[in-house]
Every structure is written in C-alpha cells, then in structure tokens.
C-alpha cells in the first residue's frame, strides 16, 4: 500500500464532533483503487453511512428533520477493513500510514480512520508515530510461536475438558463453521479464513459457558493472525491443512475419542495456521 503523510495523527479526541462527510464525486470509468490499498465495503464510503445507524427508530423522523449523525457505524466498518488489511498483508508491517491518506482511499474523513487506528493501538497491531501516523507492528516468528504456546495453554485443557463432558449432539452446530474454513482455505482467501477460523474456535470454547475465556482467547487468536514482515506467511497448503484439522477435531469430539482429540489439539497449535 502506498504510504501517506499526516499531521496530528497520533491523537483523535473522541469529543470533537466531525462534520458530515460530503458525497464524493463518482470516479471516472478509468479510475481504479490504488494498488495495495485496503478494501472497504461500499456501505462504508461516503455520507450515507453516517446516516445508517445500527438501530432504526420505530418511527421515521418528520419531514425536513435530519436524523442524528452516528459516526460509530463508519468507524466500525473502517476498523473491520483495517483488520482485514492486517491479515491479508495489505497493511505492510513496518510501514507508516496516515489518517488523511487512508481516509482519502476509504472515501471518509480522517477522524473515523484515526479512531479505528487508536483501537488497533490498544490491540498492539499498530503504534503511534508522532506527527506522521501509525506504524504497523513488525512480528517475528518467535512472536507467533509464543502466541501459539499461550493459546495452547489456554484452549487445550478446555477442549479436552469439553471432550469429556459435552454430549455428541451439541457439537453438530460447529460443522458449518468447520466447513466454512475448508471453503476459504481452498480459495486461499486469508481474510475470510481468519474470520471463519476465529468463529470456529469461539463457538468451540463457547460451549464452556465462560465468556471471558472466549474473549481472551479470541484476542490472542486475532493477534496470531497478523502477518510477518516480508509478506503473507500462510500459503494455501497451510490453510488447507489447518482447516482439515478443524474437521478432524470435530469428528474426534463427536466420537469421544480423547487420544485423537489430544493429538489434534497439540498439532493444531504448534504446526498450523491457527
């Protein structure tokens, strides 16, 4: 992705009211998205997203009365797009990106971009570079190995406990989630695979009834999916193997085969894409 410059990117006071974004002129037929720039859903572009709140009022506003602007919906969509770009490698580790430059690509003001970036700062995905913007964190193989070890320590015992206590029919709802990872892996779609992978693990751990466990494990899982410097680390073959382990693990859990469950859990956290 092309690198941009900015000023006052390091902070974005939430109290400041951002004016409504004026509709952007339609691009000329020959204009294309800049190479390497993150993809953003069409509904996140332009002013109409500011007027599309998550909850629709029971009654429509009176004629001539403008609905309240809700910027959080735009920020959420930008945050999702940035997370996808981190997983796919479109946001390059070590590179600095500015709020105004990304906002220009997304078709929104810099404010929701900065707000989304501040959330990524809290998650450790990026760091603030004063007067320039945000630098994407550079991950090492050791970082990923340590994350895998921590995830194994947290998730492994829980999965084994569930294998002993959960009835076979309660695993059935996880089958579509496992199949979704297989489909995404076959396409080599890193971003889609990351979403389906986390959904499968969250549903699995969710059977424990411990919401804090699910939230903690999901945060670690998300961090483990960020790319290493030098390009995407998960090739299609690795994704396909990882997805196959989901299906095999589910089969073993349904069958109550504890030795196989134990072996698959160990392999999944040490040798796969997650």
């Amino acid at each position: 992705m092309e690198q941009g410059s900015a000023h006052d990117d390091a902070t974005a006071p939430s109290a400041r009211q951002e004016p409504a974004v004026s509709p952007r002129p339609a691009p000329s037929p020959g204009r294309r998205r800049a190479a390497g720039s993150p993809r953003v859903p069409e509904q996140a572009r332009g002013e109409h997203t500011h007027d599309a709140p998550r909850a629709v009022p029971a009654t429509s506003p009176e004629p001539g009365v403008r609905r309240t602007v809700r910027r959080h919906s735009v920020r959420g969509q930008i945050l999702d797009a940035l997370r996808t770009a981190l997983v796919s490698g479109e946001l390059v580790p070590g590179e600095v990106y500015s709020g105004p430059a990304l906002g220009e690509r997304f078709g929104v003001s810099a404010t929701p971009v900065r707000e989304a970036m501040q959330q990524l700062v809290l998650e450790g995905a990026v760091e603030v570079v004063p007067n320039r913007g945000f630098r994407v964190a550079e991950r090492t193989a050791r970082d990923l190995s340590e994350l895998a070890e921590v995830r194994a320590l947290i998730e492994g015992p829980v999965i084994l406990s569930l294998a002993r206590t959960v009835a076979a029919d309660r695993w059935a709802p996880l089958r579509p989630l496992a199949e979704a990872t297989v489909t995404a892996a076959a396409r080599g779609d890193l971003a889609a695979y990351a979403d389906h992978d986390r959904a499968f693990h969250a549903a699995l751990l969710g059977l424990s009834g411990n919401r804090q466990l699910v939230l903690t494990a999901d945060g670690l899982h998300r961090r483990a999916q960020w790319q290493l410097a030098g390009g995407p680390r998960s090739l299609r073959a690795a994704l396909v193997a990882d997805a196959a382990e989901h299906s095999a693990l589910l089969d073993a859990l349904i069958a109550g085969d504890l030795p196989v469950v134990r072996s698959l859990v160990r392999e999944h956290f040490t040798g796969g894409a997650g």
Side-chain angles (χ1 to χ4, degrees):
M1 173 186 286
E2 181 181 350
Q3 185 173 336
S5 62
H7 62 277
D8 294 331
D9 247 346
T11 58
S14 58
R16 184 177 63 187
Q17 184 66 31
E18 183 75 13
V21 179
S22 299
R24 301 178 63 82
S28 61
R31 183 178 179 181
R32 297 179 180 274
R33 181 175 61 89
S37 60
R39 299 178 179 84
V40 182
E42 288 298 324
Q43 63 267 29
R45 301 178 184 274
E47 184 179 25
H48 65 281
T49 56
H50 289 264
D51 291 320
R54 297 181 186 276
V56 178
T59 57
S60 300
E62 297 179 6
V65 178
R66 184 181 178 125
R67 250 186 298 189
T68 302
V69 173
R70 299 188 181 181
R71 194 172 63 239
H72 69 271
S73 61
V74 178
R75 180 185 61 185
Q77 291 177 69
I78 296 298
L79 179 59
D80 287 343
L82 291 172
R83 284 172 168 166
T84 296
L86 284 168
V87 171
S88 67
E90 290 181 82
L91 286 180
V92 181
E95 293 294 317
V96 178
Y97 299 92
S98 73
L102 290 174
E104 179 67 22
R105 287 186 174 91
F106 292 161
V108 299
S109 70
T111 298
V113 175
R114 291 192 183 107
E115 291 173 343
M117 279 294 198
Q118 290 292 349
Q119 177 58 39
L120 293 178
V121 169
L122 296 177
E123 295 176 6
V126 300
E127 60 184 8
V128 174
V129 180
N131 301 318
R132 292 187 61 195
F134 302 86
R135 178 183 289 113
V136 178
E138 296 186 82
R139 318 304 303 286
T140 66
R142 179 172 180 174
D143 291 331
L144 298 181
S145 177
E146 290 175 350
L147 282 168
E149 182 179 353
V150 174
R151 289 186 61 210
L153 291 172
I154 293 176
E155 297 188 42
V158 175
I159 295 173
L160 290 173
S161 176
L162 292 173
R164 298 185 183 95
T165 58
V166 174
D169 59 343
R170 293 189 64 195
W171 297 110
L174 274 68
R175 183 66 68 182
L177 299 177
E179 292 174 349
T181 67
V182 172
T183 300
R187 296 199 310 265
D189 189 332
L190 281 169
Y193 185 84
D195 288 340
H196 294 310
D197 186 23
R198 289 199 322 278
F200 175 80
H201 280 265
L204 194 162
L205 297 176
L207 292 176
S208 70
N210 189 325
R211 292 178 297 174
Q212 298 305 316
L213 166 69
V214 175
L215 290 173
T216 300
D218 187 67
L220 290 168
H221 197 166
R222 188 184 295 279
R223 291 172 62 188
Q225 292 174 330
W226 300 335
Q227 291 299 329
L228 294 171
R233 64 182 173 85
S234 299
L235 301 177
R236 180 176 300 184
L239 296 182
V240 169
D242 194 67
E245 289 173 0
H246 290 158
S247 296
L249 176 60
L250 195 54
D251 290 340
L253 288 167
I254 292 173
D257 193 334
L258 291 178
V260 173
V261 170
R262 185 178 293 106
S263 176
L264 286 170
V265 167
R266 181 172 56 250
E267 173 63 24
H268 194 63
F269 288 111
T270 59

